[in-house]
Amino acid sequence: MAGRQITYLTDALMITCIVQASQADNVVKAAQDVGAQGATVTYARGTGIRERMGLIGVAIDEQKEMIRIIVSQEQADRVFEAMYLAGNLDKPGMGIMFMNDLDRIATYIPDEVMADAQKQAPKKKPEKKPEKKPAKKRAKKAGAKK
Amino acid sequence: MITEIGAFLHKGTGNKLLAELRDDKRILGIYVEAGRTEDLFAFREFGSASENDIVTILVETKNADKIFKLITQKADLAEPQSGLVYQMPLHKRAS
Amino acid sequence: MLRYSSVLRSNALQHREISYNKLTPKPDVNNPDALKPQKLKLGFRRVMELLMPYSGVRIFEQMRAVVPLAFYLVLFQLIILRQPIDAAFLLVGGLTAVIIGLALFMEGLNVGLMPFGTLIGDKLPRKASMPVMLIIIAMLGVGVTFAEPAIGALQAFGASVDVARAPYLYEILNNWTMPLVLLVGAGVGAAAVLGTLRFVYGWSLKPMIYAAVFPTLALTLVVYANPDLRAILGLAWDCGAVTTGPVTVPLVLSLGIGIANSTGKGGSSLSGFGVVTLASLFPIFAVLGLSLYVSTQISAEEIVVAAAVASSTVSDVPLGLWDQSPLQEIALGVRAIAPLVVFLMFVLFVVLREGLANKLFTAYGLVLSIVGMCVFNIGLTYGLGAIGAQTGAVLPAAFMAIDLSAISPIYSAILGLTLVILFAWFMGFGATLAEPALNALGLTVQTLTNGAFKKSMLMYSVAIGVACGIALGMAKVLFEIDLATLLIPLYLFALVLTFFSTEEFVNVAWDSAGVTTGPVTVPLVLAMGLGLGKAVGAVEGFGILSMASIGPIIAVLSMGLIIRFRQSRGTPATPTHSK
């Protein structure tokens, strides 16, 4: 791999959000509206609250969508909140979300973005669209529990 | 300590990685699942989104660096829009 | 100075941090069950909060499909055809029943029938040997054909065939009914077996399509060459279209997906498809073969003589209790689902010795699908079917004089014919969107691609395809175009598109051909085809459905190619993506 170089990005977090099937598009849209980049969505099957409700449980979709979004530390709380609201996670049976620290990430970064980021700060900035907001204390475990 | 290395890659890459890394002694576990993504790749086979593979690998933290490099090489991340690899510390392990 | 972050903070949510420890159950010496999940007690308001969106979303989804279609039919009749609506109240009631029935049925499919099918498909290859599995699948294939209500509709249609002009068609529909249904069933059974082998060994669908379509087209040409047999073509190709209905398709799909999951070698996430299209093609081949056989057994003159004798001795058989509406609809609904479910239960409990994961939900789903089917059938009779029959009957008034309408012909021949064909286009479009089997296919495709292939995208492209197909089929009846001259070039074109398309789109496109012609489209189209066919004195009104099957194949394949073309042009460096 001579002549090629991998850039590691730090200060990244992963938000994982599990919602009922067909809700994911809303949530991803909300996250993208406040600056999140890529989202990966998978289908999953969930148990728990559904089985404890008896027949009313059919009202909760057994099929879930699991959204994974990688965000910068600065935008993390904002994206987290936007997703929480878009997913209506304050209603019963709608889902749960959490956030993890990542050691580092690696992906393709366009040259112009790279140049931009190196000009801007001593530390490499992870996002293509650098955020204006200064760093803020990060919420380590803002588990949404109704 | 144990570390999770995950990758969002093109569909098909996941099973290839699985086959290649299955016998790697440093890897404690490797899992592949399928998902969709809207903006990770430039080519969206179904118009608004494309399918992708999600690979999750568990390694001892001391090996994490080597495996992370290995995965980034195998995933060919220097190409535009080819995916993303992350590394995440984990809390507890039993096996 | 104001920190930007504090501005943001001010309009953010009220945060409250609670330790999760406080919410999780704690061990209790006095109560050994303390750690087990407790049954939740929900108040009435909470229950409503859950049930309202649950039922609301599902009913609204069907309303969006059915209401525009109904409005369209009513407005067309009132404004373009200037004919008052009969029995308006009954119609509204019927339409409501259609909407509720569809919502119930779809939910029943999702909760009961499809997970049930997937479970069996998943267990079958693990617990049963290959021959046992194939026998069960073949039996299922034959069984679903008998359960399919649309087959009965074809037979009813047979009585209206003019024996002098289409002798062999008359002969097959009236005196060879049993072999006809058996052969169609055998075709479906063979398709199911071949499809299963394909899942297990991961064969590509493309060669199978070539291998199935070319002989069928060849046989079509042979039959076309014989003027006495020519009229059979419509029946044969329509048989293919109707074998795959709202119960068959979801069941076959979910079974296939289960089998593909547990044995699958195919790289594509859509490799569980293909059975539906084979189940549409094989019966065509079988029926064409039957017609050739019949033509060696009896001559056209003999049939005409025999028919003359038979028609003089026909007497009206009084209708039984179960042949009267609405009991008939309920019987049909139960007949379409219950035997299949019993058979599958037998396979699951006795052959595989497996249990159900969640009996309560599965039972709920199965009951829902049966109830939904019955309500839907009743709604069809009084709602969509009634309005379709009304509009279909006065439709010829647009371009020719008929008894029903005092002011006919309303328009000049050219304008009237254009209107009729346009009407057919929009009706095909609307009816397809309401088709439950297409809903199920769309949902399955969406699930299998993890949502990348959107259900709505598939449904709209299929609907456009069906609309074009039905409009073409209408033109076929109006202008008496030979079916073969339309079908053969269109299928050849579809084969060319198939050659250039990716495996994913080939799988979905060919399967969508079979699902489009279900309980919503068939009665509407048949009512229209019959009305128009009679008015213009066509030999038979068959063939429209087969045009509705080829339409979506071309539409979906084209969509796949357009997407690929756009993407590859939009981004110069297409990454190393599996094609």
Side-chain angles (χ1 to χ4, degrees):
Chain A
M1 293 283 142
R4 288 172 62 180
Q5 176 190 355
I6 286 278
T7 313
Y8 293 147
L9 303 172
T10 54
D11 292 332
L13 287 91
M14 179 157 71
I15 300 176
T16 309
C17 178
I18 300 161
V19 292
Q20 286 181 57
S22 84
Q23 297 294 314
D25 283 349
N26 287 335
V27 177
V28 171
K29 175 90 179 33
Q32 282 169 341
D33 283 347
V34 293
Q37 289 276 327
T40 295
V41 185
T42 57
Y43 282 116
R45 239 158 44 93
T47 58
I49 195 163
R50 189 174 191 257
E51 276 62 30
R52 292 163 57 194
M53 285 182 173
L55 194 55
I56 294 300
V58 297
I60 295 174
D61 206 330
E62 186 192 22
Q63 195 172 26
K64 312 289 183 197
E65 278 180 305
M66 187 163 158
I67 308 159
R68 274 173 270 203
I69 296 187
I70 294 196
V71 291
S72 73
Q73 215 178 74
E74 290 174 354
Q75 61 179 181
D77 279 358
R78 196 150 23 97
V79 174
F80 194 91
E81 260 171 27
M83 290 169 70
Y84 181 87
L85 292 177
N88 286 324
L89 296 194
D90 45 354
K91 298 251 164 57
M94 294 309 276
I96 191 168
M97 65 190 297
F98 51 90
M99 197 146 63
N100 291 94
D101 280 314
L102 296 183
D103 285 345
R104 58 184 166 182
I105 57 176
T107 184
Y108 168 78
I109 302 157
D111 290 339
E112 61 275 17
V113 175
M114 186 81 97
D116 220 35
Q118 274 163 347
K119 235 186 295 167
Q120 220 176 44
K123 203 163 65 175
K124 286 177 213 141
K125 292 278 288 183
E127 292 303 319
K128 289 179 193 170
K129 283 176 239 157
E131 299 297 329
K132 283 173 273 172
K133 203 183 68 163
K136 178 177 63 178
K137 203 185 83 187
R138 98 175 68 117
K140 232 183 174 176
K141 207 176 196 181
K145 188 75 200 170
K146 51 261 128 185
Chain B
M1 282 300 279
I2 188 168
T3 294
E4 172 184 328
I5 293 170
F8 304 144
L9 302 170
H10 280 301
K11 194 177 143 227
T13 329
N15 279 327
K16 236 167 51 199
L17 270 181
L18 186 75
E20 282 175 28
L21 299 177
R22 190 178 283 152
D23 299 326
D24 196 313
K25 291 278 186 303
R26 294 165 297 183
I27 288 173
L28 304 170
I30 174 164
Y31 314 95
V32 178
E33 54 184 310
R36 71 166 184 271
T37 179
E38 279 167 23
D39 52 359
L40 201 55
F41 311 127
F43 181 82
R44 294 188 284 272
E45 57 186 334
F46 297 117
S48 64
S50 66
E51 289 183 82
N52 74 343
D53 276 353
I54 298 154
V55 187
T56 311
I57 301 170
L58 297 181
V59 294
E60 294 282 1
T61 303
K62 60 180 195 297
N63 292 328
D65 201 48
K66 282 201 191 85
I67 301 291
F68 189 83
K69 274 185 187 142
L70 186 72
I71 303 297
T72 48
Q73 269 170 23
K74 286 203 184 291
D76 215 5
L77 292 179
E79 293 288 321
Q81 311 268 10
S82 52
L84 184 151
V85 184
Y86 67 83
Q87 178 182 331
M88 180 163 85
L90 293 181
H91 186 58
K92 210 173 189 177
R93 148 194 189 205
S95 71
Chain C
M1 277 291 273
L2 187 63
R3 278 173 63 102
Y4 184 51
S5 62
S6 51
V7 176
L8 276 178
R9 175 51 72 220
S10 67
N11 54 23
L13 288 186
Q14 292 283 325
H15 280 284
R16 187 170 51 168
E17 286 196 6
I18 301 181
S19 164
Y20 192 25
N21 287 333
K22 292 193 179 137
L23 299 177
T24 47
K26 311 206 171 18
D28 187 347
V29 194
N30 302 320
N31 181 5
D33 287 343
L35 293 180
K36 295 228 177 95
Q38 305 288 307
K39 276 265 172 281
L40 283 183
K41 288 265 186 300
L42 293 172
F44 181 72
R45 254 193 59 210
R46 281 283 189 231
V47 170
M48 279 298 129
E49 220 175 18
L50 280 167
L51 279 184
M52 285 311 279
Y54 169 71
S55 41
V57 165
R58 283 155 180 81
I59 289 176
F60 183 71
E61 196 185 358
Q62 303 307 332
M63 273 174 80
R64 249 186 11 200
V66 174
V67 170
L69 175 65
F71 255 98
Y72 168 68
L73 290 173
V74 167
L75 287 181
F76 189 86
Q77 183 172 346
L78 286 179
I79 296 171
I80 311 277
L81 298 177
R82 297 178 215 163
Q83 183 82 9
I85 302 283
D86 286 340
F89 280 109
L90 205 57
L91 222 59
V92 172
L95 287 174
T96 317
V98 167
I99 292 168
I100 292 176
L102 269 178
L104 289 177
F105 179 65
M106 285 309 298
E107 183 61 10
L109 275 189
N110 287 336
V111 182
L113 215 51
M114 291 188 75
F116 194 54
T118 310
L119 180 71
I120 292 176
D122 193 47
K123 300 288 181 212
L124 207 50
R126 293 182 208 187
K127 290 237 169 164
S129 63
M130 194 65 156
V132 172
M133 179 165 97
L134 292 181
I135 289 170
I136 291 177
I137 300 254
M139 281 170 67
L140 200 64
V142 179
V144 293
T145 315
F146 281 102
E148 196 56 63
I151 294 273
L154 275 186
Q155 290 172 14
F157 210 42
S160 68
V161 172
D162 179 0
V163 68
R165 292 173 67 181
Y168 284 110
L169 182 60
Y170 179 89
E171 175 72 9
I172 285 183
L173 279 175
N174 290 288
N175 299 333
W176 292 76
T177 332
M178 206 53 207
L180 178 71
V181 175
L182 271 179
L183 269 177
V184 171
V188 176
V193 167
L194 206 61
T196 309
L197 288 173
R198 171 181 118 78
F199 305 149
V200 174
Y201 296 111
W203 297 334
S204 160
L205 187 62
K206 284 186 190 182
M208 298 183 89
I209 288 178
Y210 302 145
V213 172
F214 277 121
T216 312
L217 286 182
L219 210 53
T220 303
L221 269 179
V222 171
V223 170
Y224 179 66
N226 182 342
D228 280 338
L229 283 177
R230 200 171 286 174
I232 299 274
L233 286 180
L235 168 76
W237 285 85
D238 279 6
C239 267
V242 297
T243 48
T244 44
V247 186
T248 321
V249 170
L251 209 59
V252 163
L253 283 181
S254 56
L255 261 175
I257 285 151
I259 295 175
N261 276 350
S262 65
T263 63
K265 288 197 184 123
S268 162
S269 43
L270 296 174
S271 54
F273 287 79
V275 175
V276 177
T277 192
L278 294 177
S280 307
L281 287 172
F282 285 3
I284 301 174
F285 192 80
V287 173
L288 288 175
L290 176 71
S291 71
L292 283 178
Y293 174 74
V294 171
S295 71
T296 62
Q297 294 294 306
I298 185 167
S299 77
E301 290 77 29
E302 286 168 22
I303 298 172
V304 177
V305 173
V309 174
S311 63
S312 62
T313 59
V314 152
S315 59
D316 281 333
V317 184
L319 290 173
L321 181 65
W322 289 101
D323 293 328
Q324 284 165 16
S325 177
L327 283 180
Q328 187 195 10
E329 282 81 9
I330 293 175
L332 274 179
V334 173
R335 203 189 76 177
I337 301 176
L340 282 178
V341 170
V342 170
F343 177 72
L344 287 178
M345 291 262 186
F346 173 79
V347 171
L348 188 67
F349 295 138
V350 180
V351 180
L352 300 177
R353 293 176 199 286
E354 282 284 336
L356 287 166
N358 194 330
K359 287 194 184 68
L360 191 63
F361 288 167
T362 309
Y364 165 81
L366 292 177
V367 169
L368 218 57
S369 56
I370 293 180
V371 171
M373 195 69 188
C374 295
V375 174
F376 173 66
N377 276 338
I378 293 173
L380 268 186
T381 308
Y382 294 102
L384 273 183
I387 176 76
Q390 275 189 36
T391 316
V394 291
L395 196 56
F399 61 91
M400 63 189 288
I402 57 167
D403 301 336
L404 263 173
S405 170
I407 47 168
S408 62
I410 308 173
Y411 307 101
S412 67
I414 294 173
L415 181 62
L417 287 173
T418 317
L419 274 174
V420 167
I421 289 175
L422 270 179
F423 167 79
W425 196 96
F426 281 103
M427 198 207 67
F429 185 82
T432 308
L433 288 183
E435 207 53 79
L438 180 59
N439 255 296
L441 178 78
L443 211 64
T444 312
V445 169
Q446 184 171 303
T447 309
L448 286 179
T449 58
N450 285 290
F453 198 140
K454 290 265 182 304
K455 178 181 154 194
S456 55
M457 188 171 87
L458 178 70
M459 288 187 65
Y460 281 110
S461 60
V462 168
I464 290 174
V466 173
C468 294
I470 287 183
L472 253 179
M474 214 41 111
K476 176 234 164 221
V477 172
L478 289 176
F479 304 117
E480 298 222 34
I481 307 171
D482 268 314
L483 187 63
T485 53
L486 285 175
L487 273 179
I488 293 176
L490 282 175
Y491 267 92
L492 288 178
F493 180 56
L495 287 179
V496 172
L497 288 179
T498 303
F499 181 76
F500 289 107
S501 293
T502 57
E503 190 75 22
E504 278 93 348
F505 277 98
V506 169
N507 277 321
V508 177
W510 282 85
D511 266 16
S512 62
V515 306
T516 51
T517 40
V520 183
T521 326
V522 171
L524 284 182
V525 167
L526 284 186
M528 233 169 43
L530 205 62
L532 283 174
K534 262 191 187 147
V536 301
V539 182
E540 33 87 29
F542 285 120
I544 306 179
L545 291 178
S546 51
M547 297 308 294
S549 297
I550 179 65
I553 301 180
I554 293 177
V556 174
L557 287 175
S558 312
M559 177 183 70
L561 289 174
I562 289 170
I563 287 174
R564 209 167 56 168
F565 178 66
R566 270 213 203 132
Q567 298 269 334
S568 58
R569 221 181 33 166
T571 51
T574 307
T576 53
H577 192 276
S578 59
K579 50 161 195 143

